[in-house]
Amino acid sequence: MITLFINGHARQVKAAPDTPLLYVLRGELNVMTPKFGCGLAQCGACSVLVDGEEVRACIYPIIALEGKQITTVDGLPARWQQQRSLPNAPDRLHPVQQAWIDEQVPQCGICQYGMMIKATELLEKNPSPSDEDINHAMTVSGPSAHLCRCGSYAAIKDGIHRAAAIIKGAELITTNTVEG
Amino acid sequence: MNIEQNDNEETQSVGEYLIYGAKLSRRAFLGGSGALIASLALDPKLAFAAANGSQPTSLDAAKPASWIEIHADNTALIRTGKCDFGQSSIFTAYRQIVAEELSMPVANITNVVWGDTDVTPDGGGTFGLLRTNVQNLRKVAAYIREAVLTLAAEKFAVAKDSLKIKEGVIQAGNHTISYGELLANQNWSLSIPVRGELTSFMGIVVTGEPPMKPVSEYTIIGQPLKNPIVRPKVAGDNIWVGDVKLPGMLHARVIHPETLGSTLLKAGPLDKTLFANSQIVTINNLLAVVSSDEWEAVQAARSVEAKTQWSDWQGIPTTSTGLQQFLHDKPSWDDVPDMQSRSSKGDISLPVAKSHSAEYFMPYYKHAPIGPMVSVAEVKDGKVVVHTHSQNPQFLRMAIAKMLKQPEADVIIKTYIGPGHFGRSNGGNAGSEDEAALLAVKLGVPVRVQWMRHDDMQWSTNSSAMLSQISIGLDEQGRIATYQAVHSGPPMQDDRPIGAILAGKDTILPPTPDNPSFLHGLGIFIADTWVYGSVENIAETGRGMYQLGQQESPINVGIRDHSMRTPIQFQQNFPRETAMSEAAALAGMDAIDFRLAHITEPRFKAILERLKIEADWDTRPSPSPQARANGSEPALGRGVSIMLRDNGYWACAAHIAIIPDTGEVKVERITLVSDTGIVVNPLQLKRQAEAGCIMGVSQALHEEVSFDNSKLTCTDWQSYPILKMAEVPKIKVVIAPDKTATMYGQGSESANALASSAIAGAFYDATGKAIRRLPLKPDYVKKALSA
Ligand code: FES
Ligand code: FES
């Protein structure tokens, strides 16, 4: 049995050691936010953070992940809470998730679990990314570019800038929107 | 208190009103919670349930509670058979429109039930959402409001037209009462007139003409309401179609044939020592491997596939590299009669001073959702239940019932959120539902069929290719005297599920010349609405053909096509608008001025004038004075395109840079100006337009389906690349609605189609060379520059 640390919890896993993480997360552990997009490390829909680095769960065998800290979008609120020593709040969201709502980033949303992971990785390293930094992170920094069929890229850029502002606690640009 | 159906209760009619064609009856209150009860359709023949003698859904479209339920606390629930693929209209615009018609706060509409054959009333495909479909809910809301006003007038003994409704509360002089309070402890029956057939392509339509709230009184429509399902989506709280798990469910991988025309000779062996939980299933040419463990299913399918033998087939009469020439040389186009546009008129053979004539070409595109097709099917209480993300659940129900030879009432389709497809990418279904249903029925357990990336690339449907000949004749003054377009290519609508075909089961007919369904014929109609009102002589012709390889394939499967975004209109707008920019240059005029000179519709004029300002457009003829077709420094240019779609007027300007020596094209910025009439939700419209436009840039620069004589050869994101973040231009979306418009804005897909033709116009401006085929890949660009 392999032990994986998923979103702060140790989980015992029965799957064979060469099983890609994605199948273990979704099949055995019911962690459903990483999505299957290609299985080829070409799209980023399955991305998770492993010790703060973006990794493609669709090809990464669990044997290589023993003892490492794995974070999925489900675990982003707790990650944020822990980083900032915030009190536990059940409906807390990570600033990236909040920014995704504020900026209405998703169209269909299937790519956004990977996009939010990549955005979190970027913002943890670079709290004030420029457009160029975002382009670099989303296009060339990982095993492949993070792909969005719906074309939400411009919204993602807006979302990352807004998340950076939330993280800094900066005065937010108020937009003329109404809660849905 | 609910407005709910209550058929069985014995009630006695004590009052009756006719509400604009809907019948409102008062009945003796027999206790219970009280309700506005619906009981009968005005014309029972027209209601699906009556026509078929069975109840295919638990709802009756003639009952208002099937569409809208108003609760005791004055909150409401709405139901629609339409689906959502992320554009949010059913969660935002639909709620706004219903709330507006009821004069109820939009926040009171707390629930939207959608896309489920069993619990939604209307059916029909997910298209025309704001143009046609929402009129169903809007009318039901208007009927309910009028019924409630009638009751309130009686209760307070005042004239109906003295009543006002504000924030969901009816005001009658000094009295106020909410919808909920008014209906409490009473029994009412309201029947809504409907027509249509539930599982037909268009579904059920609410008829009659209840009065609609005047546009001048709108307060909710026009607000930038956020999409309420974004929060659960980003929090990970939704169940996506791929997340559905059922007890005892098996994971299947379908091993699709080697070619589009192969038949199964021998399935490869399954090594039980390696794959103990796996099993091979074959139904005719449908070959699958199932396992209780998903990763085992993937590996087992790979190993079986490697040794599986298929018959060889090389029947596609051309390849992707030869396709344009093939269509050009095709000796006859008499598979099906030509179609003329309604705008065709006058005499295009008139002598002209100058003319521009050229051939344009659009390749096949993939819908290419980021998540490949996935669905789950089960047999439950004698019914086949399919969990999917269909765009037309009732039509899919029909297809599954036909395939299984079961009554439609015994098939239930449940729709979940799923990846954006932008059209139906595997027939009327979203894909794999038919395979899941066949396997679930055969094995007697729930089966989940997840397509792999290559299955999706090679076996989903495609957006049709098209070859267009355009001739534009100019008079002495440089005005268009004649316009001729001949658009030729395969048709768009192959609605047959692929698994059903492979399994040799019943499907609707393939595209054929004599197909009784207009939509499923071979004809190419003119989908791009003519917009240059001052042109006198126009001939637009569509020429259709069989789908490529379809007649040659022993299993009747060619390169299957299905609608994508602005189906066929894109294929016809690209050549028209690209040619218009070239004709403007021939006339020595600026590309926007040339369009303005031929447009008669003031709304189009207004957005083109606005585009000049918003895009910082330098008015001058093309090509640019700095135009170059060689060198390693960027050549810069700008182009324009326009489209009329679903009563929405759209104009687009693209600014691009080309490195002639490498053939590299960079789109630097795009400006979109739209007048879509009444804008229901400007925030969502802006995001839709922006995203659609980015997808359009992707199609313009990168996308083309590759195929050889046997099969599609694009299998992944390397062989079918799409746009990446670093390539995204700056996008400016300007929503400039005509304030006098009376129709709801729709047609944001125009933003998707317009990018290509604006970019092609900019290419000509930058280089002085025309590019007349998509995509603008370096190879094609270099060829165009050396022409
Ligand atoms: S699913 Fe892992 S990168 Fe596409
Ligand atoms: S939002 Fe649909 S794929 Fe990105």
Side-chain angles (χ1 to χ4, degrees), chain B residues 438-506:
Chain B
L438 287 166
L439 294 171
V441 167
K442 177 149 180 155
L443 298 170
V445 291
V447 177
R448 175 180 186 268
V449 177
Q450 165 77 67
W451 279 13
M452 301 302 274
R453 173 51 48 204
H454 64 91
D455 294 310
D456 199 284
M457 289 294 186
Q458 295 184 286
W459 287 91
S460 66
T461 53
N462 309 280
S463 165
S464 300
M466 188 91 73
L467 184 81
S468 302
Q469 304 284 349
I470 309 280
S471 297
I472 300 177
L474 303 179
D475 66 15
E476 298 292 348
Q477 287 73 45
R479 293 182 60 85
I480 300 176
T482 58
Y483 176 88
Q484 186 184 15
V486 181
H487 302 287
S488 313
M492 192 60 102
Q493 304 260 348
D494 190 345
D495 264 312
R496 298 170 301 159
I498 188 65
I501 303 173
L502 294 175
K505 304 290 182 189
D506 285 355

Side-chain angles (χ1 to χ4, degrees), chain B residues 34 37 104 166 290 307 356 459 484 493 544 596 635 645:
Chain B
I37 302 170
M104 185 180 262
K166 226 180 150 183
V290 297
K307 296 251 165 69
H356 163 72
W459 287 91
Q484 186 184 15
Q493 304 260 348
L596 281 167
R645 180 169 178 79

Side-chain angles (χ1 to χ4, degrees), chain A residues 15-16 18-20 22-23 25-40 42-43 45 58 73-74 76-77 91-93 96-98 100-113 115-116 131 134-136 138-140 144-160 175-180, chain B residues 84-87 91-92 95 106 223-228 230-238 240 242-245 253 294-295 298-299 302 365-372 417-420 422 448 450-454 564-565 683-684 686-688 690-692 694-695 698-699 703 715-718 720 722-731:
Chain A
D18 60 351
T19 309
L22 183 66
Y23 293 92
L25 288 174
R26 295 181 55 86
E28 205 175 324
L29 301 176
N30 267 316
V31 177
M32 305 306 269
T33 51
K35 301 299 180 197
F36 175 75
C38 65
L40 305 163
Q42 291 182 354
C43 74
C58 68
V73 165
D74 322 62
L76 286 181
D91 58 355
R92 186 185 301 289
L93 293 177
V96 168
Q97 293 169 301
Q98 186 58 50
W100 253 237
I101 299 170
D102 293 346
E103 290 292 343
Q104 298 282 285
V105 172
Q107 288 286 301
C108 81
I110 192 92
C111 70
Q112 303 294 348
Y113 301 99
M115 296 288 184
M116 288 189 283
D131 280 355
I134 296 171
N135 283 344
H136 181 266
M138 289 293 174
T139 310
V140 293
S144 78
H146 278 252
L147 299 180
C148 175
R149 182 45 163 172
C150 302
S152 72
Y153 294 116
I156 289 168
K157 233 176 236 177
D158 294 345
I160 293 176
T175 53
N176 180 28
T177 63
V178 179
E179 282 308 320
Chain B
D84 182 62
F85 283 79
Q87 287 69 45
F91 302 114
T92 52
R95 285 168 61 236
V106 69
Q223 290 203 26
L225 191 76
K226 283 188 187 167
N227 178 0
V230 168
R231 188 183 202 285
K233 267 188 189 171
V234 302
D237 291 341
N238 296 97
W240 288 72
D243 303 341
V244 173
K245 289 184 178 179
R253 289 298 179 277
E294 185 171 13
W295 177 237
V298 173
Q299 293 173 289
R302 273 184 200 152
Y365 290 115
K366 296 306 300 185
H367 298 77
I370 288 295
I417 55 171
F422 307 100
R448 175 180 186 268
Q450 165 77 67
W451 279 13
M452 301 302 274
R453 173 51 48 204
H454 64 91
M564 179 166 162
R565 298 228 93 163
L683 173 67
Q684 302 303 333
K686 176 177 176 275
R687 282 295 189 215
Q688 286 167 23
E690 188 181 82
I694 288 172
M695 183 173 160
S698 180
Q699 292 171 275
E703 298 183 32
T715 57
D716 61 10
W717 294 117
Q718 274 162 10
Y720 192 86
I722 62 172
L723 201 75
K724 303 177 170 97
M725 174 74 95
E727 303 169 305
V728 172
K730 280 205 172 16
I731 302 213

Side-chain angles (χ1 to χ4, degrees), chain B residues 244-510:
Chain B
V244 173
K245 289 184 178 179
L246 299 175
M249 178 179 89
L250 295 180
H251 292 274
R253 289 298 179 277
V254 172
I255 300 167
H256 288 108
E258 181 95 7
T259 75
L260 296 180
S262 295
T263 51
L264 181 61
L265 300 177
K266 194 165 185 288
L270 178 70
D271 184 344
K272 278 281 192 183
T273 61
L274 287 173
F275 308 114
N277 306 304
S278 299
Q279 167 186 359
I280 291 178
V281 186
T282 52
I283 307 172
N284 212 339
N285 293 304
L286 180 69
L287 168 63
V289 174
V290 297
S291 169
S292 51
D293 180 85
E294 185 171 13
W295 177 237
E296 186 183 306
V298 173
Q299 293 173 289
R302 273 184 200 152
S303 102
V304 170
E305 181 171 19
K307 296 251 165 69
T308 295
Q309 293 164 30
W310 299 95
S311 66
D312 190 25
W313 179 78
Q314 299 187 13
I316 305 176
T318 181
T319 64
S320 43
T321 30
L323 178 59
Q324 181 173 358
Q325 198 63 42
F326 172 83
L327 293 173
H328 180 97
D329 294 343
K330 191 170 160 14
S332 93
W333 287 87
D334 55 10
D335 289 342
V336 62
D338 293 353
M339 294 169 97
Q340 296 286 321
S341 74
R342 273 180 299 166
S343 311
S344 296
K345 62 176 180 181
D347 179 5
I348 51 142
S349 65
L350 288 177
V352 294
K354 287 186 202 171
S355 74
H356 163 72
S357 290
E359 180 177 287
Y360 297 82
F361 174 72
M362 300 274 282
Y364 288 103
Y365 290 115
K366 296 306 300 185
H367 298 77
I370 288 295
M373 316 298 187
V374 56
S375 58
V376 181
E378 60 179 324
V379 182
K380 203 174 160 186
D381 305 329
K383 297 194 179 203
V384 175
V385 185
V386 180
H387 305 260
T388 183
H389 57 140
S390 170
Q391 289 189 235
N392 193 337
Q394 297 289 3
F395 196 71
L396 173 59
R397 157 189 262 177
M398 177 279 296
I400 299 286
K402 190 181 236 331
M403 172 181 84
L404 297 174
K405 291 190 172 25
Q406 289 214 16
E408 289 176 0
D410 289 350
V411 176
I412 294 173
I413 310 292
K414 297 198 170 294
T415 303
Y416 297 76
I417 55 171
H421 286 230
F422 307 100
R424 274 153 299 145
S425 38
N426 180 8
N429 50 344
S432 91
E433 297 96 335
D434 46 326
E435 296 171 343
L438 287 166
L439 294 171
V441 167
K442 177 149 180 155
L443 298 170
V445 291
V447 177
R448 175 180 186 268
V449 177
Q450 165 77 67
W451 279 13
M452 301 302 274
R453 173 51 48 204
H454 64 91
D455 294 310
D456 199 284
M457 289 294 186
Q458 295 184 286
W459 287 91
S460 66
T461 53
N462 309 280
S463 165
S464 300
M466 188 91 73
L467 184 81
S468 302
Q469 304 284 349
I470 309 280
S471 297
I472 300 177
L474 303 179
D475 66 15
E476 298 292 348
Q477 287 73 45
R479 293 182 60 85
I480 300 176
T482 58
Y483 176 88
Q484 186 184 15
V486 181
H487 302 287
S488 313
M492 192 60 102
Q493 304 260 348
D494 190 345
D495 264 312
R496 298 170 301 159
I498 188 65
I501 303 173
L502 294 175
K505 304 290 182 189
D506 285 355
T507 66
I508 66 164
L509 290 172

Side-chain angles (χ1 to χ4, degrees), chain B residues 67 79-84 90 94 113-117 119-126 133 137 390-394 415:
Chain B
W67 306 86
R79 292 192 182 87
T80 174
K82 302 294 162 172
C83 304
D84 182 62
I90 64 170
Y94 272 40
V113 177
W114 58 285
D116 185 320
T117 51
V119 299
T120 57
D122 51 350
T126 298
N133 176 263
L137 271 166
S390 170
Q391 289 189 235
N392 193 337
Q394 297 289 3
T415 303

